[in-house]
């Protein structure tokens, strides 16, 4: 058996890198691919993260056949924020062969050292807006469109090569409690009245984004500043998010709370679950996929919670109850909502779900390894 690791350089190698997970997980009912057209952007010269990151991509071949892949990222903004010299690993996929996995990580670590870095951490991508974490529990649940999915042997390979837990995220399904008596709505109304708060309004998605996008980004930077793996928003990142929101956000599934001076103090964004629509096509926007997407967006059975932000100054004033009330109303028309990934030590968000009928179903992990 001959294992060869090649730095991705040609168009053919780029396509092999992008196509490998689609082949590895073909027919797997739990793997949800990203949109193929979005993944292709990582190789473009005008990729939105090129101004703040340096990235490398490696393909692994076993006896000439593609058998794995991995990417390394030096996220300069993150390293400046933390004072660390880290390389992030991401897009790690491999056949069930530990030797191939070892060679991939060995090659990545050699690259990290040559770049003057002394730690490897991941799976983390270019920013917190992208998929992150390795699935370590919940393999029998389909990944949402925002989540990674991987085979259980990934964890064994990574840990056997010296990587240790850095943080975990949990994911839950939440429903309205069967004995719900409307108390959350009453408490939310009380808090709104006490602090003279009101809901932001918008007739459609475009109006919502025009009125509130700047406030959302400002609040995201403020409320997520200390969370693991986050970096400040650049103008390019903001534009990318707005373009993505325009496709999936419905004003019925968003909420913005403003104070008496029209200053945003809280927001919640959710959107229809689209994983089932994109899964069969491998993330390619075929005519059939587009039809399924439109159907999912128009009448969703499940919603995915995208982002929730609360101004830190308001955390101890009961504002979280307003978020809960808004979610309760959204849940009236769907079977359940998926929280996506929440840091296990983010107690503000973990406590939020205690008001619901919560079922924790997934756990993702980020690993770290010191090289020096």
């Amino acid at each position: 058996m001959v294992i060869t690791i090649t730095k991705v350089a040609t168009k053919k190698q780029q396509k092999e890198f992008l196509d490998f997970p689609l082949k590895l997980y073909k027919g797997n009912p739990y793997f949800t691919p990203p949109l193929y057209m979005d993944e292709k952007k990582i190789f473009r010269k005008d990729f939105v993260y090129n101004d703040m990151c340096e990235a490398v991509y490696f393909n692994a071949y076993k006896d000439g056949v593609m058998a794995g892949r991995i990417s390394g990222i030096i996220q300069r903004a993150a390293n400046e924020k933390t004072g660390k010299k880290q390389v992030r690993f991401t897009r790690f996929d491999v056949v069930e062969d530990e030797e191939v996995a070892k060679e991939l990580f060995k090659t990545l670590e050699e690259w990290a050292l040559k770049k003057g870095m002394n730690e490897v951490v991941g799976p983390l991508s270019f920013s917190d807006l992208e998929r992150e974490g390795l699935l370590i529990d919940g393999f029998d649940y389909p990944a949402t469109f925002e989540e990674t999915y991987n085979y259980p042997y990934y964890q064994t390979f990574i840990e056997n090569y010296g990587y240790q837990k850095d943080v975990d995220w949990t994911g839950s399904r939440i429903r309205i409690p069967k004995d719900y008596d409307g108390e959350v709505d009453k408490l939310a109304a009380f808090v709104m009245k006490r602090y003279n708060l009101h809901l932001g309004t918008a007739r459609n998605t475009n109006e919502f984004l025009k009125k509130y996008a700047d406030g959302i980004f400002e609040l995201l930077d403020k409320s997520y500043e200390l969370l693991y793996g986050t970096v400040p928003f650049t103008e390019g990142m903001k534009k990318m998010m707005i373009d993505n929101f325009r496709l999936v956000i419905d004003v019925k599934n968003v909420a913005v709370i403003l104070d008496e001076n029209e200053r945003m103090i809280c927001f919640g964004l959710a959107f229809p679950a689209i994983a089932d629509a994109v899964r069969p096509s491998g993330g390619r926007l075929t005519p059939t996929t587009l039809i399924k997407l439109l159907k999912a967006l128009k009448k969703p059975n499940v919603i995915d919670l995208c982002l929730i932000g609360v101004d830190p100054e308001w955390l101890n004033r009961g504002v979280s109850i307003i978020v809960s009330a808004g979610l309760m109303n959204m849940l009236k028309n769907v079977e359940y909502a998926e929280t996506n990934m929440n840091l296990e030590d983010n107690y503000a968000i973990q406590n939020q779900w205690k008001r619901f009928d919560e079922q924790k179903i997934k756990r993702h992990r980020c690993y770290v390894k010191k090289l020096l």
Side-chain angles (χ1 to χ4, degrees):
M1 179 182 71
V2 177
I3 298 173
T4 305
I5 308 299
T6 301
K7 183 178 177 180
V8 173
T10 68
K11 292 290 185 181
K12 179 176 182 292
Q13 291 165 349
Q14 290 176 4
K15 189 174 189 307
E16 289 175 326
F17 185 93
L18 296 172
D19 289 351
F20 179 71
L22 304 180
K23 295 177 180 178
L24 185 65
Y25 291 96
K26 187 175 182 180
N28 185 302
Y30 309 116
F31 171 76
T32 300
L35 290 181
Y36 196 82
M37 65 179 186
D38 286 344
E39 277 294 275
K40 287 175 67 176
K41 293 176 183 177
I42 63 176
F43 294 116
R44 285 173 46 168
K45 292 182 179 180
D46 62 349
F47 184 48
V48 68
Y49 291 106
N50 283 348
D51 60 343
M52 63 194 308
C53 298
E54 181 179 353
V56 68
Y57 307 90
F58 295 107
N59 288 343
Y61 303 89
K62 185 170 75 171
D63 295 332
V65 178
M66 182 81 174
R69 68 172 195 167
I70 198 168
S71 173
I73 298 169
I74 299 176
Q75 215 318 342
R76 291 186 288 268
N79 284 348
E80 289 173 10
K81 175 182 172 181
T82 62
K84 297 180 178 180
K85 296 181 178 180
Q86 291 184 329
V87 162
R88 297 178 168 198
F89 80 83
T90 183
R91 292 169 173 83
F92 167 66
D93 289 291
V94 69
V95 296
E96 195 169 359
D97 187 319
E98 191 165 357
E99 291 304 312
V100 176
K102 285 181 178 179
E103 289 301 315
L104 281 167
F105 277 102
K106 178 184 176 183
T107 304
L108 179 64
E109 290 172 10
E110 290 172 350
W111 179 81
L113 289 169
K114 287 179 182 178
K115 293 294 180 177
M117 303 294 108
N118 56 28
E119 282 187 353
V120 177
V121 64
L124 286 175
S125 195
F126 296 93
S127 80
D128 194 51
L129 301 178
E130 294 203 329
R131 297 180 177 193
E132 54 192 357
L134 188 87
L135 184 67
I136 62 169
D137 189 30
F139 297 99
D140 294 333
Y141 291 94
T144 68
F145 184 67
E146 298 77 34
E147 293 174 338
T148 58
Y149 183 87
N150 52 264
Y151 290 122
Y153 61 80
Y154 281 34
Q155 180 181 4
T156 302
F157 292 175
I158 290 173
E159 292 179 0
N160 284 353
Y161 202 62
Y163 285 78
Q164 298 178 333
K165 173 186 173 180
D166 204 11
V167 298
D168 277 6
W169 295 267
T170 63
S172 301
R173 287 181 177 177
I174 59 171
R175 297 175 171 85
I176 299 176
K178 293 180 180 179
D179 58 352
Y180 180 63
D181 58 4
E183 186 65 21
V184 170
D185 291 298
K186 295 176 185 177
L187 290 171
F190 172 78
V191 173
M192 295 278 282
K193 183 177 180 180
R194 179 180 181 182
Y195 295 111
N196 199 19
L197 305 176
H198 62 280
L199 287 168
T201 59
R203 291 167 297 180
N204 53 52
T205 301
N206 285 334
E207 183 179 336
F208 175 83
L209 292 171
K210 185 176 181 180
K211 291 175 70 173
Y212 303 119
D214 288 342
I216 288 173
F217 288 123
E218 181 181 344
L219 196 52
L220 275 174
D221 271 338
K222 190 174 183 179
S223 59
Y224 282 47
E225 181 182 9
L226 299 179
L227 293 185
Y228 184 88
T230 58
V231 294
F233 285 93
T234 64
E235 291 305 312
M237 291 166 65
K238 292 177 183 179
K239 183 182 183 303
M240 179 181 67
M241 280 190 71
I242 290 173
D243 290 344
N244 291 341
F245 283 161
R246 223 179 282 278
L247 297 174
V248 295
I249 287 290
D250 189 315
V251 291
K252 298 195 297 283
N253 297 323
V254 299
V256 170
I257 311 299
L258 308 171
D259 67 11
E260 56 189 348
N261 299 314
E262 298 299 310
R263 175 172 167 267
M264 189 181 302
I265 59 101
C266 177
F267 73 87
L269 305 179
F271 52 78
I274 61 172
D276 288 347
V278 303
R279 191 176 294 118
S281 68
R284 292 177 172 85
L285 292 181
T286 64
T288 301
T289 301
L290 288 171
I291 292 171
K292 291 180 178 179
L293 270 173
L294 291 172
K295 183 178 180 181
L297 294 172
K298 187 175 182 181
K299 194 173 182 181
N301 187 44
V302 176
I303 57 173
D304 291 344
L305 304 188
C306 178
L307 292 168
I308 295 175
V310 179
D311 190 319
E313 297 174 14
W314 286 81
L315 280 174
N316 296 321
R317 302 189 197 181
V319 172
S320 66
I321 198 73
I322 303 174
V323 176
S324 293
L327 288 174
M328 291 288 186
N329 288 324
M330 292 181 195
L331 285 168
K332 290 177 182 178
N333 300 313
V334 296
E335 184 181 347
Y336 59 85
E338 289 229 17
T339 67
N340 283 305
M341 295 163 56
N342 304 141
L343 286 165
E344 63 179 351
D345 60 356
N346 185 351
Y347 302 114
I349 196 69
Q350 294 288 354
N351 290 334
Q352 183 83 26
W353 311 136
K354 293 180 180 179
R355 300 186 178 110
F356 297 82
D357 177 6
E358 180 196 13
Q359 178 190 11
K360 276 190 166 52
I361 60 172
K362 298 170 188 170
R363 181 174 289 269
H364 287 76
R365 176 162 295 171
C366 188
Y367 290 90
V368 65
K369 180 179 179 181
K370 295 186 182 299
L371 303 181
L372 294 175

